[in-house]
Amino acid sequence: MQDEKTKARWDKLWFVTGREQYAHPMVYKHADRGDATMMFHCGAPFCAAWAMDDDHPDPAQRQAKKLLPPSSVQRELTSLLDEAIDKIGVKMKWEAGDFAINDNLGNCHYAPPGTQSDRERCGLRILHRTTILPRGERLPPALAEDGRQSFLVE
């Protein structure tokens, strides 16, 4: 849905997680479907930074070099999600007993403002997250079309 200039810039971005600090190419090939998808998180505790590739002529050799503060990219993505949510998303009106299974590696899910408030205000929600990885893998197999793949930031 983005113009070519934005797509090219996004293709050079890496999402750096907030916990163990893995870097994932923001645009990558979905492990099962094979189509282009994106990996990012807009929530403050889950995003430590964004990194921008260098300009190596061989995209498979590009490396995440320049670090950007999380808010710089998160503001852009959140704004675009807010504009497009009716076209690309599913709005849930959660009720007692609802159950959802979400492909975290290929499906955008978004918690609108107010849904993460305290229990007295918006009710109790319990989230159980299970990640299924290929045998022996420690992180999702995010692999960009050009050969870049996720790595642990040292």
Side-chain angles (χ1 to χ4, degrees):
M1 295 173 58
Q2 306 308 312
D3 60 60
E4 293 305 314
K5 184 178 176 183
T6 301
K7 287 179 186 178
R9 183 170 47 83
W10 285 0
D11 192 47
K12 293 182 73 175
L13 283 173
W14 295 74
F15 162 63
V16 181
T17 64
R19 291 192 182 120
E20 293 181 340
Q21 302 240 313
Y22 285 105
H24 303 285
M26 182 168 136
V27 178
Y28 72 101
K29 185 171 137 179
H30 190 277
D32 294 319
R33 295 189 320 252
D35 59 342
T37 190
M38 298 167 67
M39 182 179 301
F40 62 89
H41 197 299
C42 288
F46 304 105
C47 181
W50 289 89
M52 179 70 75
D53 276 352
D54 60 18
D55 289 319
H56 194 285
D58 177 1
Q61 299 297 314
R62 292 186 327 209
Q63 295 183 15
K65 296 285 184 184
K66 181 181 176 185
L67 284 180
L68 307 169
S71 61
S72 63
V73 178
Q74 289 169 269
R75 274 193 308 270
E76 175 187 14
L77 293 171
T78 300
S79 173
L80 291 168
L81 282 171
D82 285 343
E83 291 173 17
I85 196 68
D86 290 330
K87 296 177 193 165
I88 64 171
V90 175
K91 289 185 181 180
M92 297 288 296
K93 184 174 186 324
W94 291 96
E95 296 180 16
D98 281 354
F99 178 82
I101 296 177
N102 184 39
D103 175 1
N104 236 24
L105 298 179
N107 182 27
C108 174
H109 55 284
Y110 180 57
T115 61
Q116 306 301 300
S117 299
D118 60 62
R119 182 166 83 177
E120 288 75 31
R121 184 166 167 226
C122 66
L124 175 64
R125 294 189 310 165
I126 299 172
L127 171 69
H128 295 285
R129 182 176 303 230
T130 301
T131 302
I132 301 171
L133 300 173
R135 185 175 297 274
E137 295 289 329
R138 282 196 60 216
L139 66 149
L143 179 64
E145 292 282 346
D146 57 28
R148 294 171 298 137
Q149 70 182 76
S150 301
F151 63 92
L152 181 61
V153 177
E154 310 250 350

